[in-house]
């Protein structure tokens, strides 16, 4: 029986030993020791980025990669609001030099209508190096190692990191020239080519010429290689085809010639569309065998930024690694009010980037994403989006238990107002809610729009449908942009009264008075007695929509009927293009933080129905248009602000929009993640984030400590069972050993 006792004792000791071991959390999704490294863990949802080619990439979910890999000439100050443009690869923000139609230089304060051309000479910082990449690799005799690439070198290649040899070189102005030229490449179909062609000298003609050149090149390629993979494309060496609007004066000076005066052009220079592209990389990826292995700028970008793409497993995981050739940039020492108290200036002057790696893991659904975040396995849910942060703020407001749990775990849930607006528009071409054919009808229609604007309680809408995570708009210009005014002067006095410096929505009695003056007392046509029926054109398709039911109730306060005309989004867009919608809801996300990017949506010559522009309501006001034409030429300053104020007052009076709301974006950050600040405009935020690794390891271990008592209990029960079994066995053996027939003599 000694052997049996020994076996049970060994089993019980094993249980005790397992429980006492100091193991990492058993539920960790990472390899042992991974969370002890200087790595940031986050996610992406739904799918991998479609394209990381700077000429094509335009989706929000691509920006965490593009803006941290590529370096445009300019960027935005990480902390300051309103947003402030700062140099990235450029030495400074360059002021343009103006010329008239005769080529004579004009003073900086010349009237915009006299300026025929703006010339930007932009100096690059010397010594900037591209990331290590095989496109730059050379042999001992100076030849390119992978040009042409040997098919033997491609046999085992599944990604750029599989090439054993890499190289680098210095960034030059020629790389920015090459990037501008790529925007006109017909195969790339860059979404901003038309904008650049409108403003950059010679670019429109260049695009037409390049289209012809490439068509011939492609035809020759197909004829010479009829069996080639259809994904393969011939390389068009854009160094051989240029145009006058963009040139390199020397290796460190880029010149761009812009038509007329276009102050907003500087903001385009902060976008990755105009990030540098080395011709070597373009050529490297246009080799046989590259396309079938998904080797292209779409999947493997080449930049000078703080990170490079070190691993890419489509729809699984992407890893950004610190670029060993990056020079480093100091963390900012200034911000907006409240940043210092929030600890956002604690790293003032320290060199960025702070984290060595950023791992993006795919999460298909919100529930497992939230669960892993709460366990500490993600430092933040998503870098580029704030939906989960907003949802958690709402949950904390609705549930004391959740609020307590978030607080106990030290989760930060800051929010900011986005440079985005959602509005309800009135089609200016519509006879009932639009401009009107006569001055009398125009006045009646204006009062109708004003009455509706008062009746629509946007404060209630934000509470119901945005969970109070939005700011009711008083005009079209959002916070963070010059022209936004959060004081009494910015209040829409057509819709609100000012009480103690705050807006208070006008009464329904005032709305009914305006409605009667518009010719619809109690919601009926004063001449015919028929009820006023308005039409809301929906883009959400057929089916019950709570928001649309709410719209109906708002107009019902005035006795006005609202009929919803539901269509799918394609049909809705068609209605917008031909101007047949009456009332509709739409939004706009800023391309850059300038009031012009919002006010141009109400500029007459941008009318969607007549000119195909972004003025979806087809608003046309000679007074507004004249001010817009003055404002668009002005640099930021008091004069521009004064013009914006006048334009906003006109819009408040004419009411072509119900201004709706500015949505908020939020962040959800663990306590060990420092310097996190929600932002829509600053896309290169990864270098500023810092992880306290020791704190993360400590909290994750504590939050995910396994519960060993069930194992202990099981061990005790097993041991008790063993004792009972041994006791029963010994008793049986003892009874079997007793002699039959009574006592032994």
């Amino acid at each position: 029986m000694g052997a049996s006792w020994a076996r049970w004792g060994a089993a019980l000791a094993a249980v005790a030993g397992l429980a006492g071991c100091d193991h990492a959390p058993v539920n960790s999704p990472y390899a042992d020791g991974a969370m002890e490294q200087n790595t940031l863990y986050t996610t992406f949802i739904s799918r991998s980025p479609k394209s990381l080619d700077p000429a094509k990439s335009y989706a929000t979910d691509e920006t965490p990669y593009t803006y941290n890999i590529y370096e445009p000439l300019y960027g935005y100050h990480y902390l300051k609001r309103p947003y402030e443009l700062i140099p990235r690869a450029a030495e400074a923000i360059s002021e343009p030099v103006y010329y008239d139609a005769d080529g004579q230089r004009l003073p900086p304060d010349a009237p915009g209508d006299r300026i025929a051309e703006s010339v930007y000479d932009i100096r690059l910082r010397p010594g900037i190096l591209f990331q290590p990449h095989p496109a730059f690799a050379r042999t001992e005799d100076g030849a390119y190692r992978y040009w042409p690439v040997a098919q033997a070198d491609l046999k085992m290649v599944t990604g750029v990191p599989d090439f054993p040899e890499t190289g680098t070189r210095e960034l030059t102005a020629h790389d920015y020239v090459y990037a501008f030229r790529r925007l006109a490449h017909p195969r790339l179909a860059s979404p901003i080519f038309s904008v650049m062609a409108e403003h950059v000298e010679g670019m429109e003609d260049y695009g037409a010429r390049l289209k012809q050149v490439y068509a011939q090149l492609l035809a020759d390629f197909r004829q010479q290689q009829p069996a080639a993979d259809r994904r393969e494309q011939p390389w068009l060496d854009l160094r051989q085809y240029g145009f006058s609007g963009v040139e390199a004066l020397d290796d460190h000076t880029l010149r761009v010639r812009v038509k007329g005066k276009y102050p907003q052009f500087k903001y385009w220079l902060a976008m990755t569309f105009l990030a540098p592209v080395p011709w070597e990389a373009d050529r490297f990826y246009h080799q046989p065998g590259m396309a079938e292995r998904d080797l292209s700028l779409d999947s493997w970008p080449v930049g000078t930024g703080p990170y490079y793409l070190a691993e890419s497993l489509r729809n699984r995981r992407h890893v950004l690694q610190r670029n060993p050739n990056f020079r480093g940039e100091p963390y900012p020492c200034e911000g907006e009010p409240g940043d210092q108290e929030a600890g956002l200036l604690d790293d003032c002057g320290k060199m960025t980037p702070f984290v060595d790696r950023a791992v993006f893991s795919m999460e298909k659904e919100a529930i497992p994403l939230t669960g892993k975040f709460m366990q500490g396995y993600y430092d933040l849910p998503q870098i580029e989006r704030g939906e989960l942060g907003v949802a958690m703020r709402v949950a904390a407001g609705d549930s004391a238990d959740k609020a307590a749990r978030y607080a106990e775990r030290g989760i930060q849930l800051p929010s900011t107002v986005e440079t985005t607006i959602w509005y309800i528009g009135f089609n200016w071409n519509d006879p009932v809610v639009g401009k009107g054919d006569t001055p009398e009808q125009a006045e009646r229609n204006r009062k109708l729009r004003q009455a509706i604007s008062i009746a629509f309680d946007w404060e209630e809408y934000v509470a119901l449908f945005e969970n109070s995570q939005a700011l009711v708009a008083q005009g079209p210009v959002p916070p963070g942009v010059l022209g936004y005014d959060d004081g009494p002067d910015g209040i829409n006095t057509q819709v609100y009264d000012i009480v103690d410096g705050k807006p208070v929505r006008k009464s329904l009695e005032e709305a009914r008075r305006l409605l009667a003056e518009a010719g619809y007392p109690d919601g009926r046509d004063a001449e015919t007695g028929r009820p006023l029926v308005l039409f809301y054109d929906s883009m959400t398709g057929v089916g019950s929509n709570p928001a649309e039911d709410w719209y109906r109730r708002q107009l019902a306060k005035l006795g006005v009927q609202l009929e919803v005309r539901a269509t799918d989004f394609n049909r809705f867009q068609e209605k917008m293009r031909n101007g047949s919608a009456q009332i509709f809801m739409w939004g706009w996300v800023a391309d850059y933080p300038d009031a012009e990017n919002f006010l141009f949506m109400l500029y007459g010559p941008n009318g969607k129905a007549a000119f195909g522009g972004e003025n979806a309501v087809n608003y046309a006001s000679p007074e507004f248009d004249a001010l817009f034409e003055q404002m668009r030429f002005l640099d930021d300053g008091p004069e521009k602000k004064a013009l914006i104020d006048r334009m906003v007052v006109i819009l408040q009076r004419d009411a072509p929009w119900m201004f709706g709301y500015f949505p908020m974006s939020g962040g959800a950050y663990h306590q060990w993640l420092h310097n996190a600040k929600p932002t829509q405009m600053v896309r290169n935020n990864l270098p500023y984030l810092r992880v306290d690794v020791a704190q993360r390891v400590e909290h994750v271990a504590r939050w995910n400590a396994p519960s060993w008592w069930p194992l202990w209990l099981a061990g005790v029960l097993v041991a008790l069972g063993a004792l009972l079994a041994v006791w029963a066995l010994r008793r049986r053996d003892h009874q079997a050993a007793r002699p039959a027939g009574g006592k032994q003599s």
Side-chain angles (χ1 to χ4, degrees), residues 563-578:
E563 185 173 314
V564 175
R565 298 188 293 203
T567 59
D568 60 25
F569 188 60
N570 290 336
R571 173 63 179 141
F572 174 79
Q573 287 185 307
E574 183 181 341
K575 286 184 178 183
M576 301 308 294
R577 284 192 294 268
N578 61 34

Side-chain angles (χ1 to χ4, degrees), residues 136-154:
F136 304 119
R138 292 178 181 264
T139 59
E140 291 183 359
D141 62 1
Y144 284 97
R145 171 67 178 83
Y146 298 109
W147 177 264
V149 67
Q151 291 305 303
D153 289 332
L154 287 177

Side-chain angles (χ1 to χ4, degrees), residues 184-189 206-222 230-238 241 282 286:
H185 198 303
R187 181 178 61 82
L188 297 177
Y206 175 71
R209 179 161 58 95
L210 211 59
K211 188 174 183 179
Q212 295 176 344
V213 170
Y214 185 69
Q216 185 61 53
L217 179 67
L218 183 61
D220 294 344
F221 177 79
R222 295 298 181 211
R230 302 301 293 183
R231 290 171 294 184
E232 290 188 7
Q233 302 286 333
W235 179 50
L236 178 58
D237 187 355
L238 295 176
Y241 303 93
D282 198 25
H286 281 84

Side-chain angles (χ1 to χ4, degrees), residues 96-307:
V97 175
Y98 302 126
Y99 295 89
D100 64 17
D102 297 324
Q104 299 298 312
R105 183 167 177 168
L106 297 171
D109 59 351
D113 56 3
R114 286 193 57 201
I115 297 172
E117 185 177 79
S118 304
V119 178
Y120 293 79
D121 287 344
I122 305 167
R123 287 286 298 173
L124 303 185
R125 301 186 190 189
I128 295 178
L129 297 177
F130 280 99
Q131 68 182 67
H133 194 275
F136 304 119
R138 292 178 181 264
T139 59
E140 291 183 359
D141 62 1
Y144 284 97
R145 171 67 178 83
Y146 298 109
W147 177 264
V149 67
Q151 291 305 303
D153 289 332
L154 287 177
K155 283 185 178 179
M156 303 301 293
V157 168
T158 59
V160 165
D162 292 332
F163 288 92
E165 298 182 36
T166 62
T168 187
R169 69 161 170 81
E170 185 180 11
L171 171 72
T172 72
H174 301 281
D175 299 312
Y176 286 95
V177 173
Y178 200 88
F180 267 95
R181 293 176 182 177
R182 287 186 81 243
L183 297 178
H185 198 303
R187 181 178 61 82
L188 297 177
S190 173
I192 71 155
F193 169 70
S194 60
V195 176
M196 290 297 102
E198 178 185 354
H199 292 289
V200 177
E201 291 282 358
M203 198 164 184
E204 185 174 8
D205 292 339
Y206 175 71
R209 179 161 58 95
L210 211 59
K211 188 174 183 179
Q212 295 176 344
V213 170
Y214 185 69
Q216 185 61 53
L217 179 67
L218 183 61
D220 294 344
F221 177 79
R222 295 298 181 211
Q223 184 176 9
Q224 295 166 9
Q225 303 184 47
D229 189 312
R230 302 301 293 183
R231 290 171 294 184
E232 290 188 7
Q233 302 286 333
W235 179 50
L236 178 58
D237 187 355
L238 295 176
R239 294 175 299 169
Q240 309 303 318
Y241 303 93
F243 63 103
S244 62
V246 182
E247 60 181 320
L249 301 184
D250 56 50
D251 282 351
H252 294 97
T253 308
L254 175 71
R255 170 170 287 181
V256 184
R257 297 168 54 213
V258 174
K259 301 173 187 177
K261 184 176 182 181
Y262 181 43
Q264 293 76 27
F265 179 72
K266 60 182 180 288
Y267 296 117
W268 291 103
L269 298 178
M271 298 184 190
T272 51
F273 290 120
L274 301 175
V277 176
W279 67 269
E280 297 96 330
D282 198 25
R283 183 184 70 172
F284 173 81
Y285 287 129
H286 281 84
Q287 298 189 75
M290 292 287 184
E292 65 184 83
R293 291 171 173 81
D294 197 24
L295 299 175
S296 69
L297 286 173
D298 283 325
S299 303
W300 295 97
V302 184
T304 63
Y307 294 94

